Amino acid sequence: YVVTGDAEQSALAQDVNYLGGKVLRINSDGSIPSDNPFPNSSVYSLGHRNSFGFTFHPDTNDLWQTENGPTTDDEVNRIIAGGNYGWPIVTGIANNPSYIDPIIAITPNIAVTGITAIPEGSLVYPESYHHNLLFADWNTGKIQRIVLTGANLTQLSSLSTAYNGGQGGLLDLEQGLDGYIYVTSFNGGIFKLVM
């Protein structure tokens, strides 16, 4: 899977023949999977502005993506094969049945970056954090927490701050082999998230 920004060609984010503004899916040899949603195309979803991070939820296998808005509506999206997320026609939660709304849209922008999920069986984080999504933001250096709900963990229960910042703009979140989440900062550090 590859996320691409629209490369300042916003109208082309809706064009399946243009690879910008998309989530792409390819085989390890570069070929196109036969079950991709658009025949003979690496495009998996379209209508994205500035994708930054993505993660597969370890408990549901859902693909979640962060996306920076233009001046409003930073988004966290659950990516569905063949889904159209609306850019540049709509941003944020538009309630337009032609497009897929994000689980959350944030205004004013915080420049959402990396995203990860805490698995159900985590031994290092409290049970209340299991299944949660964590994403970083560039502008304030905070880590935000999305509590998922619903039978398939696809709906928003709440958004809160898991870490208040202080390490500069945060870039990415990855789970280490020890189960802890590690965070990279523009200031050059790698930090372990302990709660």
Side-chain angles (χ1 to χ4, degrees):
Y1 291 79
V2 180
V3 293
T4 63
D6 69 7
E8 299 183 2
Q9 302 294 317
S10 59
L12 295 178
Q14 290 291 318
D15 183 347
V16 175
N17 297 309
Y18 176 72
L19 298 183
K22 311 292 187 296
V23 173
L24 309 176
R25 180 176 178 245
I26 57 174
N27 292 315
S28 59
D29 65 359
S31 64
I32 296 170
S34 61
D35 60 346
N36 268 9
F38 302 100
N40 302 312
S41 172
S42 60
V43 173
Y44 192 73
S45 67
L46 67 151
H48 300 288
R49 179 183 177 270
N50 185 15
S51 298
F52 197 98
F54 70 93
T55 192
F56 286 92
H57 196 293
D59 301 321
T60 65
N61 294 321
D62 285 331
L63 175 57
W64 292 91
Q65 168 249 24
T66 58
E67 185 171 332
N68 295 167
T71 56
T72 61
D73 295 317
D74 284 345
E75 299 177 356
V76 176
N77 292 297
R78 185 171 71 95
I79 302 300
I80 297 169
N84 187 335
Y85 292 80
W87 174 255
I89 300 162
V90 298
T91 62
I93 298 172
N95 294 313
N96 182 327
S98 297
Y99 308 105
I100 298 172
D101 283 338
I103 190 172
I104 194 160
I106 301 163
T107 299
N109 291 38
I110 58 173
V112 293
T113 55
I115 186 169
T116 194
I118 297 177
E120 179 178 20
S122 174
L123 301 176
V124 298
Y125 294 117
E127 189 174 335
S128 61
Y129 277 73
H130 294 186
H131 301 300
N132 293 185
L133 295 171
L134 299 177
F135 66 91
D137 81 67
W138 174 263
N139 290 351
T140 68
K142 294 180 180 180
I143 297 174
Q144 306 291 339
R145 172 186 175 209
I146 292 177
V147 177
L148 298 170
T149 191
N152 299 314
L153 297 174
T154 60
Q155 300 168 2
L156 174 68
S157 174
S158 64
L159 173 70
S160 61
T161 299
Y163 172 72
N164 275 322
Q167 267 62 50
L170 302 181
L171 295 169
D172 200 11
L173 305 167
E174 295 290 337
Q175 185 175 23
L177 295 177
D178 59 1
Y180 283 99
I181 304 298
Y182 288 82
V183 185
T184 58
S185 166
F186 177 73
N187 291 344
I190 298 175
F191 305 92
K192 181 165 75 172
L193 182 62
V194 177
M195 293 183 240

